[in-house]
Amino acid sequence: MELLKKWLGHPEEIYNLLRFKMGGYRVVTPRIDPDTLEGGLRTCYRYLNQTSRSFAAVIQALDGELRHAVCIFYLVLRALDTIEDDMTISLDVKVPMLHEFHSYLYQPEWKYTESKEKDRQVLEDFPTISMEFRKLSKAYQDVISDVCHKMGVGMAEFLEKKVDSQLEWDMYCHYVAGLVGIGLSRLFSASELEDPIVGQDTELANSMGLFLQKTNIIRDYLEDQLEGREFWPREVWSRYAKKLSDFAKPENIDMAVKCLNELITNALHHVPDVLTYLSRLKNQSVFNFCAIPQVMAIATLAACYNNKQVFRGVVKIRKGQAVTLMMDATSIQAVKAIMYQYVEEIYQKIPSTDPSSNKTQQIIASIRAMSLPGSPMASRHHYSPIYLSCAMLLAALSWQYLTTLSKATEEYVQAGEN
């Protein structure tokens, strides 16, 4: 019944869940018929679906040859990330592997069979991935190899040191996510689906990655603590506690929330860059690919802001909310309206006693100025009484069925990806 009550409060989400399940997903995340692909590429898309349902969905929606380039890019970085994450690999082995990983792309026989990580198949069958990499045009190969090299060096740098300053936080996020944004942007331009400026403006592309990565780090505080990982910058959390782990203790919850709010305020400073970046995109499939994760991130930050639950369990947005965001975020006007909606939600929750309240209000004012809602989205949340009644009746009749919907959106909502 709690689930039903939650849906009754958001009837538009019920409608969008049904619309998504009954064919709307084909517009937002169309899938490739694997039978149309030759052997090696078919295997790569199988690995893509196994390692990430959410990324698999949006990658397969990309147009033309860009789709294959991004698929291979993702798998190469997934293999690199699997090495970094594998705690069973000693540092004297791991560090040289991270530094040299880009060179393995040109070694047809290279593979690694000793990983214990869940995604180890991308290392065990790396020859198939590297073979498909070498089939890509040189423009794509150069981007993927360059980003892989820079990321491997950056990952090795942070293996033995913690994130202390906010500058180091930005640098860590650059290595693991900003470089992904830069690489993708260069691939977009190389495909000629987007203008050269998209790939050349590395500052904006970096911000796209940093916004997503910081959102994941903020939301995943408790999960990272339980697994012995710390990514919140010491420069910030040390103002509120002696140890980062202290935030999980009930007696420290007030200070924990103040630290949380400061980090969310920091992340919000990337939103203007996100909006500028998205405003430059021309191709619809590229726009959807870039916009969907960004609107998921702002919704997640709004859910986390001033929320004690971040330190007690998992904070996630509703499935219906995620589906609605996926189906709405198809134009820059729509994305601006979504950003406006969620920063307003944050604004309404700013405590007057919060140490970061002035900074939070200032960045929200900047985002408002860039994303004032216009007429195209004016009716986004307006529904007639008849529609609302029908939607609530529909919820009452079908709430059990709806609990099984949309596996593809679940990973966006619950896990996110680094």
Side-chain angles (χ1 to χ4, degrees), residues 347-363:
Y347 183 82
Q348 295 302 321
K349 295 192 289 186
I350 299 175
S352 59
T353 57
D354 189 272
S356 304
S357 61
N358 288 339
K359 290 182 179 179
T360 311
Q361 291 168 358
Q362 287 170 11
I363 184 56

Side-chain angles (χ1 to χ4, degrees), residues 151-289:
M151 187 176 291
V153 171
M155 286 177 168
E157 178 184 335
F158 276 90
L159 278 177
E160 297 186 276
K161 74 175 184 180
K162 293 188 176 181
V163 178
D164 285 329
S165 67
Q166 293 186 66
L167 185 61
E168 286 177 328
W169 197 38
D170 280 0
M171 186 55 65
Y172 172 77
C173 292
H174 164 73
Y175 283 136
V176 300
L179 281 171
V180 179
I182 291 169
L184 286 169
S185 300
R186 290 171 62 189
L187 293 177
F188 299 156
S189 294
S191 73
E192 299 185 352
L193 293 176
E194 297 296 344
D195 291 334
I197 187 63
V198 172
Q200 293 167 356
D201 195 334
T202 56
E203 184 175 345
L204 291 189
N206 188 59
S207 273
M208 292 283 284
L210 263 61
F211 185 58
L212 299 182
Q213 185 66 17
K214 287 182 178 181
T215 298
N216 289 340
I217 288 173
I218 291 166
R219 179 201 58 200
D220 293 342
Y221 165 84
L222 192 60
E223 178 184 328
D224 287 336
Q225 281 293 305
L226 294 174
E227 296 187 13
R229 300 189 299 251
E230 292 191 353
F231 298 115
W232 285 26
R234 178 186 293 271
E235 180 184 344
V236 176
W237 65 254
S238 62
R239 292 198 288 268
Y240 302 95
K242 292 182 178 179
K243 295 185 297 182
L244 183 56
S245 58
D246 288 345
F247 288 153
K249 300 174 182 177
E251 63 268 25
N252 297 321
I253 193 63
D254 289 340
M255 298 303 284
V257 169
K258 290 176 181 178
C259 182
L260 169 71
N261 291 347
E262 181 172 345
L263 291 182
I264 290 176
T265 300
N266 177 293
L268 288 174
H269 280 83
H270 297 291
V271 173
D273 280 353
V274 168
L275 291 174
T276 301
Y277 180 98
L278 293 175
S279 70
R280 290 177 173 171
L281 300 180
K282 302 184 302 181
N283 179 270
Q284 188 65 55
S285 74
V286 172
F287 185 90
N288 293 351
F289 177 89

Side-chain angles (χ1 to χ4, degrees), residues 40-104:
L41 203 54
R42 187 185 309 129
T43 299
C44 287
Y45 276 97
R46 187 174 80 247
Y47 291 153
L48 179 66
N49 280 287
Q50 289 172 351
T51 55
S52 170
R53 287 192 305 271
S54 58
F55 273 119
V58 290
I59 287 173
Q60 290 179 80
L62 289 169
D63 288 340
E65 63 181 16
L66 176 63
R67 178 191 305 130
H68 300 327
V70 174
C71 173
I72 301 305
F73 185 43
Y74 174 84
L75 291 177
V76 168
L77 297 188
R78 173 56 64 190
L80 179 65
D81 191 54
T82 300
I83 289 175
E84 184 207 22
D85 286 344
D86 195 331
M87 303 303 291
T88 67
I89 305 175
S90 63
L91 288 181
D92 60 332
V93 173
K94 184 183 293 190
V95 171
M97 284 179 69
L98 292 174
H99 278 279
E100 297 300 322
F101 196 85
H102 67 289
S103 68
Y104 304 151

